[in-house]
Amino acid sequence: MKRNYSYYKKVFEGVPGPFAFVDLDLLDENVERIIAQAGSKNIRIATKSIRSTALLKRILRQSPLFCGLMCFSPQEAIYLVKQGMDDIVMGYPIWEPSALSGLAELIRQGKSVTLMVDSIRHIEHIERIAERHGVRFPVCLDMDMSMDFPGLHFGVWRSPVRTTAEAKAVVERIASSRGAALDGVMGYEAQIAGVGDQYPGMAAKNMLVRKLKQRSAKQIAVKREELVAMAEEVLGTPLRFVNGGGTGSLRTTTQEQAVTEVTVGSGFFSPGLFDNYRDFRYQPAAGFAVEIVRRPGPYLYTCLGGGYVASGAAGKDKLPQPYLPAGAALMPLEGAGEVQTPVFYRGEERLELGDPIFFRHAKAGELCERFNSLYAVSAGKIVEQISTYRGDGQCFL
């Protein structure tokens, strides 16, 4: 399902910029592809990549494989429970006592909220909160899945638990706790899920990354299988879930027998960074538009605003990129700016002052931090305006 400049220009005729949008037809196509790629595994939605209650509910309705949410802020988890959602796993440990107290209250109400831990100190801390509120926190042990090669740490710096022996000490402490119960385990293979391996003009680097990914995937599968076997032996019962992966590692993570669910977030919108993966291609389902307000030279169109730069290590790949009209490009010495973004375009479309240029954000969820709502498009027309967290007056991570 291809989109061109005239399609969106007609859809958004008369809509003042800047604005953000989601193409529901392309979103639904991405959902179908993700479901197919997940196979028999459950799918947990990474809420940070969506940041819209209405869209989260829309995705959850589309298949029984969608088993719940992964949140990264306790305030967000509390908010989503109030919006009728449940089965939430916190993606990162929480230390703030008042935040833990808020989650304890949800558990008292019978809601399913699982805390992330990676140390005995985490357990000791949440035990004090659990005793105060008369609850027992379900917890998930996060094991680091990075790989160390000579001269290279391939992955990200997350959990300090890197071996099964280190994990066993934490699992045994949880097993003896009255304030915590081991609900599941997870490991995020960021070096596979979050690293592209098909960047234009970088053949040698792409080949190296692919080889490192292949080697890493084999080691991760063994590591995760050993972790699950150890945890279930200590507990004497099966874990409720074994979580792994991300959009960029679905192909390898879903092949692991020990994994019961995969986490997916960015694949639903398919932002610009995900054009640089060899194993899959999803549809660009979300973007934003800024209007042309100046013509400083031949083939140059300066737009008002547009500097929505993504997080992470600074680089050109974190800049939003002109999407339509096809062939439009940022100026390398200026990029995308706070108040202006000049674009070079020498194509067939005739662009005038006031016309939109459509961009794709480099990462998925940060787009919604910039806009109060998304114009929802289907079958060539705007069908509704969908509120983002920001539009609901909420601000999380």
Side-chain angles (χ1 to χ4, degrees):
M1 192 182 298
K2 291 282 188 178
R3 299 295 191 226
N4 57 27
Y5 180 74
S6 61
Y7 177 87
Y8 284 127
K9 184 180 178 182
K10 182 179 179 181
V11 167
F12 295 114
E13 186 175 2
V15 176
F19 60 84
F21 65 95
V22 57
D23 190 315
L24 296 180
D25 302 327
L26 299 187
L27 174 67
D28 289 346
E29 186 174 327
N30 288 342
V31 171
E32 291 173 4
R33 291 185 183 184
I34 288 166
I35 292 170
Q37 196 164 16
S40 61
K41 307 295 185 184
N42 289 328
I43 305 168
R44 190 170 295 278
I45 303 172
T47 59
K48 73 176 183 64
S49 298
I50 307 297
R51 304 193 198 213
S52 165
T53 303
L55 285 180
L56 287 171
K57 290 181 177 179
R58 179 187 178 92
I59 296 169
L60 285 167
R61 287 195 299 265
Q62 297 203 35
S63 170
L65 286 180
F66 291 114
C67 63
L69 309 173
M70 180 171 285
C71 294
F72 295 82
S73 157
Q75 292 77 20
E76 178 193 21
I78 293 168
Y79 174 70
L80 292 178
V81 168
K82 289 180 179 178
Q83 306 307 308
M85 285 171 264
D86 203 4
D87 196 349
I88 294 175
V89 173
M90 302 308 304
Y92 280 75
I94 300 163
W95 193 264
E96 218 299 305
S98 64
L100 288 169
S101 293
L103 296 180
E105 184 55 34
L106 294 183
I107 293 169
R108 282 177 57 86
Q109 297 170 14
K111 305 301 181 182
S112 176
V113 180
T114 302
L115 304 186
M116 192 64 63
V117 298
D118 62 32
S119 70
I120 291 175
R121 284 198 68 198
H122 285 146
I123 303 303
E124 293 172 344
H125 183 59
I126 67 174
E127 281 176 331
R128 291 189 284 269
I129 308 296
E131 183 178 6
R132 190 182 311 160
H133 291 273
V135 301
R136 195 178 189 195
F137 282 110
V139 299
C140 174
L141 175 61
D142 185 5
M143 188 174 188
D144 184 82
M145 291 292 165
S146 300
M147 294 290 125
D148 286 312
F149 300 101
L152 173 66
H153 179 75
F154 192 46
V156 295
W157 296 101
R158 289 170 59 94
S159 170
V161 176
R162 299 187 176 91
T163 67
T164 303
E166 291 171 340
K168 186 174 183 180
V170 182
V171 171
E172 288 177 338
R173 180 63 178 82
I174 296 170
S176 67
S177 174
R178 291 188 297 179
L182 190 62
D183 198 27
V185 296
M186 76 159 285
Y188 174 51
E189 49 269 47
Q191 68 272 27
I192 301 175
V195 179
D197 57 3
Q198 191 163 284
Y199 282 90
M202 302 176 70
K205 181 180 178 181
N206 291 336
M207 183 67 69
L208 175 61
V209 170
R210 288 170 195 164
K211 288 182 178 180
L212 289 173
K213 282 186 173 186
Q214 290 171 0
R215 185 172 173 183
S216 185
K218 293 177 181 178
Q219 293 185 36
I220 287 168
V222 173
K223 193 173 183 178
R224 188 148 35 211
E225 186 176 9
E226 290 176 350
L227 171 65
V228 173
M230 177 276 295
E232 293 185 341
E233 181 180 2
V234 171
L235 296 177
T237 58
L239 296 165
R240 183 172 74 92
F241 65 87
V242 178
N243 180 282
T247 297
S249 68
L250 278 181
R251 185 182 64 82
T252 55
T253 308
T254 53
Q255 294 174 7
E256 293 185 38
Q257 186 173 353
V259 170
T260 65
E261 64 176 45
V262 290
T263 299
V264 179
S266 298
F268 297 110
F269 286 171
S270 190
L273 280 174
F274 281 80
D275 289 348
N276 302 310
Y277 286 74
R278 185 180 64 166
D279 285 346
F280 62 87
R281 181 72 71 237
Y282 297 119
Q283 294 282 10
F288 67 89
V290 288
E291 67 174 348
I292 300 167
V293 294
R294 285 176 169 164
R295 290 288 310 276
Y299 312 115
L300 287 174
Y301 304 86
T302 300
C303 301
L304 184 63
Y308 307 138
V309 179
S311 62
K316 291 181 180 180
D317 60 345
K318 299 304 190 303
L319 295 175
Q321 294 296 325
Y323 169 43
L324 294 171
L330 295 175
M331 300 300 294
L333 296 182
E334 193 163 346
E338 178 186 10
V339 293
Q340 73 166 40
T341 299
V343 172
F344 178 84
Y345 176 68
R346 198 173 182 173
E348 297 180 356
E349 296 289 346
R350 182 174 177 177
L351 300 179
E352 303 289 350
L353 296 179
D355 283 344
I357 289 184
F358 298 96
F359 284 74
R360 292 169 67 200
H361 201 278
K363 298 177 75 172
E366 294 171 32
L367 171 68
C368 289
E369 291 298 308
R370 301 286 187 167
F371 297 90
N372 290 335
S373 63
L374 304 171
Y375 285 100
V377 177
S378 180
K381 61 183 179 181
I382 297 171
V383 294
E384 62 179 314
Q385 267 188 275
I386 296 176
S387 180
T388 64
Y389 285 174
R390 172 173 163 161
D392 294 333
Q394 304 299 317
C395 181
F396 310 119
L397 280 177

